[in-house]
Amino acid sequence: MPEPVDALLEGTVVTMDAERRTIRDGAVAVRAGRIAAVGEVRELRERFVPERLLGGPRRFVIPGLIDSHNHLAQALVRENALEDLPNIYRIYIPAEMAMDADDARVSAQVGIAQLLRAGVTTVAETTCTPEHEEAIARTVMETGIRCAMARGTGDRTTELASNYSQIDQTSSYHDDPGALREDLARTEKFLADWTQRGDGRLRPWINNLGVPSCSEERFLETQRLGEKYGTGMMVHVNRDREEIELSVALFGERPLEHLHRIGVLTPDFLAIHAMLTTDREIQLLAEAGSAVAHAPIVCTDIVSAVTKVVTMRAAGVPVGLGCDTVINDIFKVMRHAFVMHTQTTGIPLYDPWSFTTHDAMTMGTIEAARALRWEAEIGSLEVGKAADVVIVDGRNVRLTPSFDPVGTLVRYAVGTDVESVMVGGRLVVDEGRLLTIDEQALLPEAERLGVRLGEVLGPRRYRQLPGMLKTPVEERTR
Ligand SMILES: [Zn+2]
């Protein structure tokens, strides 16, 4: 007797399991939020009676893609930061400070809609403003995406003398114990609440802004909180030259050397970006079992440096790919990573294997899951794992014919090829329709917020954006 299942998803199945099996004319059976079977379509149709049949000929069935770094409250800042560098303190932070909790909700809905539509089922969110975490976490729960969500700020103000005068000034820092206590209490409340309320789909993490902005005490206290609640910390590290100059001036050591010395590099540590990382620092990450979130398009956007991804992975450091708000589409990020790392490591030595399309796909799925310490649940299509599954529509001349499905997807697919998306067995995109967000109602809200952020950020830019909007479309056409 065939058993009932909730859904059968059919197509070329790209499992990303340990053997990297690809099953042509394959299928994935889903029951009670989990993967019940992976195999040949003929066999699974005999074994199961599905309530819902999805996919079919010329579709690809792949694991839900994983974005290992994003800021959902920055989804409407992206163009305001473009080609106007440096932009963290001048553009990004003022933008987030100008937003209230409802603005954060609008921005998070825009970001999540972009991600889900592009087949991203898990996002690592980094909330660094003091008051937006509740609005963002609630939006995560409502929209159905899975989220490793870090919150937290910093407690240290720094001064770099070389920016002024080194004759009568020295580089200095001062800690703010009041700010530390207040933010620790808020972070602990967030961890305690969302360990319960997250329903297994939202896992709370800790955010520490960066080495120059956080005291040693803050790093150690948050590490203790992480141990207490069974989670880890995310830290932006080695992103900008200014950050490293500060670290060297203040502590006489580079950022990752500093974190190693104070003892916070562990398997629960996720280094965000790590662009300007030395081979010695890569060794420290590898020895500690720490991971890296790599956003290759941001490397290009801020012209900082190409992260040494090939060296990191060879040393055993898991590296996940990230969108970091600038392009919320992991297909484009995978392709960018493939081109970037092949150009930097493959071309100089004529080595076609230095970084392949399969490496890119691994970093967008199972390796990103490892970086987020979530590989027991997500990142590949295997029996017993959470049913985070994406169907890509290959019924077009870009994706047909396909002889190496992973190569085809990394080289030629785009987010709009995604047909259906399931997170933990719940269908959130159904044959092109996003079920959990009213996109038409969201558009005017997004535009109003975009115009308002433009008013805040326009005067802060060195060069004006040519198409800066003064009023939303609805008001212009009224
Ligand atoms: Zn970031």
Side-chain angles (χ1 to χ4, degrees):
M1 263 302 268
E3 302 166 47
V5 285
D6 300 326
L8 205 57
L9 295 83
E10 299 182 353
T12 295
V13 178
V14 177
T15 63
M16 299 311 287
D17 66 7
E19 292 88 49
R20 298 290 189 271
R21 278 184 311 146
T22 294
I23 308 163
R24 289 208 181 257
D25 303 316
V28 174
V30 172
R31 183 170 44 213
R34 304 245 150 216
I35 295 174
V38 179
E40 308 260 336
V41 68
R42 205 181 301 240
E43 181 213 324
L44 265 56
R45 277 192 185 185
E46 279 171 18
R47 278 178 61 193
F48 302 111
V49 187
E51 196 164 299
R52 184 76 200 271
L53 192 63
L54 290 157
R58 299 200 179 87
R59 288 0 179 264
F60 300 87
V61 180
I62 65 172
L65 299 169
I66 299 175
D67 172 9
S68 53
H69 182 58
N70 211 310
H71 298 270
L72 292 170
Q74 293 175 0
L76 296 160
V77 182
R78 54 185 192 178
E79 284 179 313
N80 283 293
L82 202 61
E83 292 155 15
D84 214 74
L85 297 166
N87 52 30
I88 296 273
Y89 294 99
R90 194 162 39 82
I91 306 287
Y92 280 109
I93 291 178
E96 289 206 40
M97 290 307 174
M99 288 163 62
D100 64 19
D102 194 56
D103 297 334
R105 189 258 314 159
V106 171
S107 176
Q109 282 193 341
V110 170
I112 292 171
Q114 291 168 344
L115 291 166
L116 287 176
R117 279 199 162 285
V120 175
T121 53
T122 299
V123 60
E125 154 66 10
T126 323
T127 303
C128 14
T129 42
E131 282 159 15
H132 293 157
E133 73 269 32
E134 193 61 26
I136 294 172
R138 267 191 272 118
T139 308
V140 163
M141 295 314 286
E142 285 161 15
T143 53
I145 201 163
R146 189 182 295 280
C147 185
M149 181 169 169
R151 72 87 50 207
T153 57
D155 65 331
R156 173 174 275 176
T157 312
T158 49
E159 188 108 338
L160 184 59
S162 67
N163 280 349
Y164 307 98
S165 159
Q166 292 182 75
I167 297 164
D168 50 21
Q169 276 190 308
T170 50
S171 298
S172 63
Y173 62 84
H174 64 264
D175 296 341
D176 182 344
L180 171 64
R181 291 295 134 203
E182 200 177 306
D183 197 65
L184 280 179
R186 195 158 174 138
T187 299
E188 177 153 21
K189 184 178 182 317
F190 175 73
L191 296 175
D193 281 1
W194 286 97
T195 302
Q196 303 294 326
R197 290 163 68 195
D199 212 4
R201 187 154 54 76
L202 188 158
R203 287 192 175 179
W205 279 63
I206 293 147
N207 181 54
N208 282 321
L209 272 186
V211 165
S213 7
C214 295
S215 67
E216 208 170 304
E217 194 185 352
R218 182 182 165 95
F219 277 114
L220 297 175
E221 290 272 350
T222 50
Q223 187 176 32
R224 270 193 284 277
L225 281 182
E227 285 162 7
K228 182 172 169 187
Y229 291 92
T231 190
M233 75 169 76
M234 304 184 188
V235 183
H236 284 72
V237 75
N238 286 351
R239 179 187 183 275
D240 310 283
R241 183 178 161 142
E242 290 87 339
E243 169 204 343
I244 295 167
E245 279 186 287
L246 267 164
S247 182
V248 169
L250 299 176
F251 318 121
E253 53 200 357
R254 297 175 59 87
L256 285 170
E257 292 169 350
H258 179 74
L259 294 174
H260 165 71
R261 184 176 58 75
I262 67 172
V264 298
L265 291 189
T266 69
D268 299 329
F269 183 90
L270 180 66
I272 300 165
H273 296 311
M275 290 168 197
L276 294 152
T277 298
T278 62
D279 288 354
R280 157 93 188 127
E281 287 176 299
I282 291 173
Q283 207 48 48
L284 296 177
L285 288 172
E287 283 163 14
S290 304
V292 168
H294 166 52
I297 295 177
V298 172
C299 292
T300 305
D301 252 19
I302 67 169
V303 287
S304 169
V306 174
T307 311
K308 294 162 108 177
V309 164
V310 171
T311 312
M312 288 174 177
R313 297 178 76 232
V317 178
V319 184
L321 289 177
C323 297
D324 202 4
T325 77
V326 292
I327 291 182
N328 283 333
D329 179 345
I330 286 282
F331 286 108
K332 288 180 184 163
V333 172
M334 290 195 294
R335 184 155 53 253
H336 194 97
F338 166 63
V339 172
M340 170 179 271
H341 298 299
T342 303
Q343 277 183 345
T344 29
T345 62
I347 289 177
L349 299 170
Y350 189 65
D351 176 5
W353 314 116
S354 79
F355 192 91
T356 65
T357 51
H358 289 248
D359 289 315
M361 185 76 176
T362 302
M363 288 166 60
T365 54
I366 188 65
E367 196 164 325
R370 280 178 64 206
L372 299 178
R373 309 156 71 250
W374 219 335
E375 73 272 25
E377 283 282 296
I378 55 173
S380 58
L381 299 176
E382 294 179 78
V383 172
K385 279 197 170 184
D388 290 14
V389 195
V390 169
I391 296 175
V392 177
D393 186 358
R395 292 173 299 170
N396 60 62
V397 287
R398 256 181 310 106
L399 302 180
T400 309
S402 167
F403 302 107
D404 168 16
V406 167
T408 303
L409 291 167
V410 170
R411 284 160 176 270
Y412 311 121
V414 288
T416 46
D417 292 325
V418 167
E419 182 177 284
S420 298
V421 179
M422 196 175 257
V423 185
R426 176 187 181 191
L427 206 54
V428 289
V429 177
D430 186 358
E431 296 180 352
R433 233 158 35 86
L434 179 56
L435 301 177
T436 55
I437 297 171
D438 181 346
E439 283 173 285
Q440 290 311 308
L442 180 60
L443 297 182
E445 285 193 295
E447 197 173 32
R448 263 194 298 276
L449 177 57
V451 168
R452 196 157 61 69
L453 289 177
E455 283 164 6
V456 173
L457 301 175
R460 303 184 71 90
R461 283 182 60 99
Y462 298 131
R463 298 188 309 130
Q464 290 306 304
L465 277 177
M468 186 73 83
L469 296 175
K470 297 281 188 286
T471 46
V473 165
E474 279 186 331
E475 283 155 43
R476 289 204 305 273
T477 52
R478 197 170 283 160

